[in-house]
Amino acid sequence: MSILAPVFAIYASHQTYEGQRVSNTRIYFPPLPIEFHEHGATLDGLIRSSFGFESLPNHILFTPVPDLQVGNKAPEKVQLIDCLFTDNRW
């Protein structure tokens, strides 16, 4: 959920460990893999009913935002998702 606009994005992440060390991290945006569908639908319903926020589709989330630097992202790499939400996606 964004604190700047009444919007949200649902994504899923999966980490693989080798012992105590993370060896691989994957982030999924809709359409989510089948194993995340139930959780995604539940979260979507709760956010909409509790806060009245709207979900942003991928084509809006990943819109380039030129000439802006957000966190450690260079200006030519910044997307709207970086402006509206934390960069702590893992």
Side-chain angles (χ1 to χ4, degrees), residues 1-51:
M1 292 176 31
S2 175
I3 62 169
L4 299 175
V7 295
F8 69 95
I10 292 180
Y11 69 94
S13 64
H14 180 266
Q15 292 182 326
T16 305
Y17 288 84
E18 290 180 12
Q20 298 286 329
R21 190 174 118 315
V22 175
S23 64
N24 187 24
T25 300
R26 295 278 323 245
I27 298 176
Y28 304 96
F29 289 90
L32 299 177
I34 192 85
E35 61 267 25
F36 297 108
H37 282 191
E38 185 178 339
H39 300 295
T42 300
L43 285 172
D44 185 278
L46 287 170
I47 293 169
R48 287 176 191 273
S49 66
S50 298
F51 300 100

Side-chain angles (χ1 to χ4, degrees), residues 29-88:
F29 289 90
L32 299 177
I34 192 85
E35 61 267 25
F36 297 108
H37 282 191
E38 185 178 339
H39 300 295
T42 300
L43 285 172
D44 185 278
L46 287 170
I47 293 169
R48 287 176 191 273
S49 66
S50 298
F51 300 100
F53 284 21
E54 289 296 321
S55 177
L56 286 179
N58 290 350
H59 73 277
I60 294 175
L61 284 173
F62 301 116
T63 299
V65 181
D67 301 325
L68 185 66
Q69 182 173 352
V70 175
N72 291 329
K73 288 211 172 187
E76 64 274 2
K77 302 265 188 207
V78 174
Q79 298 171 318
L80 189 58
I81 190 171
D82 303 311
C83 301
L84 292 174
F85 305 101
T86 178
D87 62 352
N88 190 15

